Amino acid sequence: LYRMRPAAVHRPFARIDDGLLSNDFGALPATPNQLRWDPLALPAAGESVDFVSGLATMGGNGDPAAMSGCAIHVYRANASMRERFFYDADGELLIVPQLGQLRLVTELGRLEVEPQEIAVIPRGIRFRVELPDLKSEGGTLDAARGYVCENFGAPFRLPDLGPIGSNGLANPRDFLAPLAWFEDREGDFELLTRFQGRLWTARIGHSPLDVVAWHGNHVPYRYDLRRFNTIGSISYDHPDPSIFLVLQSQSDTPGVDTLDFVIFPPRWLCAQDTFRPPWFHRNVASEFMGLIHGVYDAKAEGFSPGGASLHNCMSGHGPDRASFEKAVAADTRTPQHVGDTMAFMFETRTVIHPSAQALALPTLQADYWRCWQGFEKRFDPGAG
């Protein structure tokens, strides 16, 4: 980095209240029950909540001290960060907007990110978040909302495509890094950091976004999920779910990732004699799922944009009964277009512990389990 002042020029850090951020993933026993939440409420009128103060931890695993695991948050904000800056010493941040555009003003440049796009801020990069869609900025929204995955482990990377070949899924050419940009501002500013799972604050007499030029690859980037080149079957059956993998954080075990970011975008379903929606399954992976836009094709109701679900290791899950009945009755001799949708999943090899506050939210659906009740036995030993 070529900067105006050394990054060490600030006052000492002091601990502050963590708000709704949490890193105590062992506070409550993890549950094998399937969990689902309605969207979290937006900040109330009259509150001033920016990106950092609006972060609420939904769950996680591992430990930033061991550089392993992740924390999963939801953000809700109705104010831009003006005099406050933030960096995460514990890991990189994968930001998934669901409502409202974000302007990420970082040390290395600016990124504009809207719903159905994502951004990744590497470990230690200083930035602030502005909300250009707010009415106070001339926009149309009262608040912004989205999801954040804090990755303590190996940085996200593109997966090896194997037999898919050189093109497909998320293509490298579609990932965009910012141009160098700087601001030369002096004043009384606040520098926040998340360090070992806790929030700290320091006073700083200038904007830390004073990098006039840079080179290297530890850089923020943006990706439009609508550019994803979806792969699927054109004969029968389902390929492996890794065909929906956007980014992976690799582990020390070949073939087993610490953390995956997977999406379920618009696509054509063409497989014949095949149950086309995501099938019933249980596996070693633990899955935190969110909906950015539209309708998820494996759920008839109860899963709304801004909501979330958690299915932990070996907990059976799949389409609800209404979606199942519709798929079984479908004519699979003709293609079907799944168009108005964009869902995603943070998937880990380690059990995701929901936070105590997530389990206490009024948006937690107490009757989620009922969507799988009433399935009838379809086996007939005398048929065919």
Side-chain angles (χ1 to χ4, degrees):
L1 304 184
Y2 300 88
R3 63 188 321 141
M4 299 179 189
R5 307 168 186 81
V9 180
H10 57 75
R11 303 289 294 174
F13 281 101
R15 277 279 287 120
I16 58 173
D17 185 83
D18 296 314
L20 297 178
L21 284 171
S22 173
N23 207 53
D24 188 4
F25 304 130
L28 295 174
T31 174
N33 289 323
Q34 305 97 336
L35 303 176
R36 189 166 69 183
W37 291 265
D38 293 324
L40 272 66
L42 296 172
E47 285 186 276
S48 180
V49 180
D50 65 23
F51 176 83
V52 175
S53 57
L55 286 168
T57 303
M58 299 297 291
N61 55 41
D63 184 357
M67 292 191 171
S68 177
C70 69
I72 298 169
H73 317 286
V74 172
Y75 72 83
R76 299 154 296 161
N78 64 359
S80 294
M81 296 172 67
R82 297 297 187 193
E83 315 303 316
R84 281 159 49 102
F85 303 86
F86 177 70
Y87 74 91
D88 195 317
D90 290 346
E92 64 181 345
L93 299 175
L94 169 56
I95 302 172
V96 185
Q98 181 269 317
L99 179 66
Q101 187 182 49
L102 302 183
R103 180 180 296 123
L104 305 175
V105 189
T106 82
E107 290 179 279
L108 278 67
R110 296 175 291 183
L111 291 172
E112 305 272 352
V113 190
E114 66 181 23
Q116 303 199 66
E117 296 180 326
I118 62 168
V120 174
I121 306 292
R123 183 194 302 264
I125 296 293
R126 298 172 179 181
F127 68 100
R128 69 168 183 264
V129 180
E130 299 175 356
L131 308 177
D133 284 347
L134 289 185
K135 291 178 180 177
S136 60
E137 307 281 340
T140 59
L141 295 181
D142 293 318
R145 180 173 58 205
Y147 311 85
V148 177
C149 185
E150 186 181 14
N151 174 25
F152 305 143
F156 281 115
R157 50 158 288 173
L158 290 172
D160 295 324
L161 297 184
I164 293 174
S166 59
N167 300 292
L169 310 188
N171 289 307
R173 65 176 180 265
D174 294 323
F175 287 79
L176 304 177
L179 295 173
W181 174 93
F182 68 90
E183 63 180 14
D184 187 6
R185 267 203 305 160
E186 297 184 353
D188 184 19
F189 303 123
E190 182 181 18
L191 180 61
L192 297 161
T193 184
R194 185 155 151 91
F195 182 81
Q196 298 298 282
R198 301 290 182 259
L199 277 180
W200 296 71
T201 183
R203 306 313 301 180
I204 184 169
H206 63 278
S207 168
L209 312 183
D210 60 351
V211 176
V212 298
W214 60 268
H215 66 85
N217 56 15
H218 190 71
V219 56
Y221 56 88
R222 180 186 75 188
Y223 174 69
D224 189 334
L225 301 176
R226 293 160 293 197
R227 300 291 298 168
F228 189 80
N229 185 4
T230 313
I231 305 295
S233 172
I234 55 172
S235 55
Y236 67 92
D237 212 347
H238 285 267
D240 187 86
S242 61
I243 59 171
F244 297 112
L245 179 60
V246 181
L247 295 167
Q248 63 178 172
S249 172
Q250 293 184 323
S251 75
D252 53 3
T253 304
V256 180
D257 290 338
T258 298
L259 178 61
D260 288 334
F261 175 61
V262 177
I263 66 170
F264 303 99
R267 59 201 181 277
W268 281 95
L269 304 179
C270 304
Q272 292 186 303
D273 302 318
T274 298
F275 182 80
R276 287 175 171 175
W279 55 92
F280 289 95
H281 64 283
R282 53 199 179 108
N283 57 358
V284 70
S286 295
E287 306 171 0
F288 181 95
M289 191 167 179
L291 184 61
I292 302 167
H293 170 77
V295 177
Y296 180 52
D297 62 311
K299 299 294 182 185
E301 58 184 13
F303 190 44
S304 304
S309 66
L310 174 59
H311 303 133
N312 260 321
C313 172
M314 293 301 170
S315 296
H317 56 284
D320 54 34
R321 186 181 178 189
S323 300
F324 175 83
E325 298 290 350
K326 180 180 177 181
V328 168
D331 180 3
T332 64
R333 295 171 298 179
T334 60
Q336 173 193 358
H337 187 235
V338 179
D340 186 30
T341 188
M342 184 64 77
F344 75 90
M345 188 160 64
F346 301 138
E347 184 177 64
T348 83
R349 67 171 181 173
T350 310
V351 166
I352 296 171
H353 292 249
S355 67
Q357 65 196 23
L359 292 176
L361 285 170
T363 55
L364 179 63
Q365 298 177 9
D367 59 349
Y368 178 38
W369 61 276
R370 294 186 184 277
C371 75
W372 294 293
Q373 306 309 303
F375 275 89
E376 299 174 354
K377 181 175 65 176
R378 291 178 172 266
F379 176 66
D380 182 356

